[in-house]
Amino acid sequence: QVQLVESGGGSVQAGGSLRLSCAASGRTFSSYAMGWFRQAPGKEREFVAAIRWSGGSTYYADSVKGRFTISRDNAKNTVYLQMNSLKPEDMAVYYCAAGFPGRSFVATSMGYDYWGQGTQVTVSS
């Protein structure tokens, strides 16, 4: 069982930066792949980024490549999402997730078993 708690959301102007954190409980955190997803009002939840247990493999949605960076600190049971050059279209509730997604499912919700409650990111133009 893994419990996830996101933090770090807030309001920022376009071009600004935020760093989201996701603190996980459970002794097996380091074995899970971790992902970030987001959901804007009226839209489906979409994949943002993911990182394998070792941190050696990372994955990004095309829309955030070069702007967002996912990382993890297994000693702190925490995964991060550094978001730079934020755009109004990045505004959404951001969720972190944990699971064991196969390669085909790393960017899909069904690849993850545990979810946080979400943190709001607001970007004003």
Side-chain angles (χ1 to χ4, degrees), residues 46-64:
E46 65 174 1
F47 170 75
V48 175
I51 186 167
R52 291 292 183 189
W53 69 272
S54 66
S57 296
T58 57
Y59 310 84
Y60 295 94
D62 288 342
S63 59
V64 306

Side-chain angles (χ1 to χ4, degrees), residues 37-122:
F37 290 75
R38 67 187 182 187
Q39 188 167 19
K43 295 187 176 181
E44 293 186 352
R45 188 172 298 186
E46 65 174 1
F47 170 75
V48 175
I51 186 167
R52 291 292 183 189
W53 69 272
S54 66
S57 296
T58 57
Y59 310 84
Y60 295 94
D62 288 342
S63 59
V64 306
K65 279 181 183 176
R67 300 188 298 122
F68 290 12
T69 302
I70 188 170
S71 62
R72 66 189 296 163
D73 186 336
N74 288 339
K76 295 182 178 179
N77 281 11
T78 302
V79 63
Y80 305 97
L81 185 68
Q82 178 67 44
M83 305 186 296
N84 298 329
S85 302
L86 282 160
K87 304 176 180 179
E89 52 263 43
D90 294 319
M91 184 163 61
V93 177
Y94 282 70
Y95 300 89
C96 74
F100 298 103
R103 185 171 183 176
S104 299
F105 293 93
V106 70
T108 67
S109 297
M110 67 176 63
Y112 299 84
D113 301 305
Y114 303 101
W115 293 83
Q117 82 289 348
T119 185
Q120 176 71 47
V121 171
T122 301

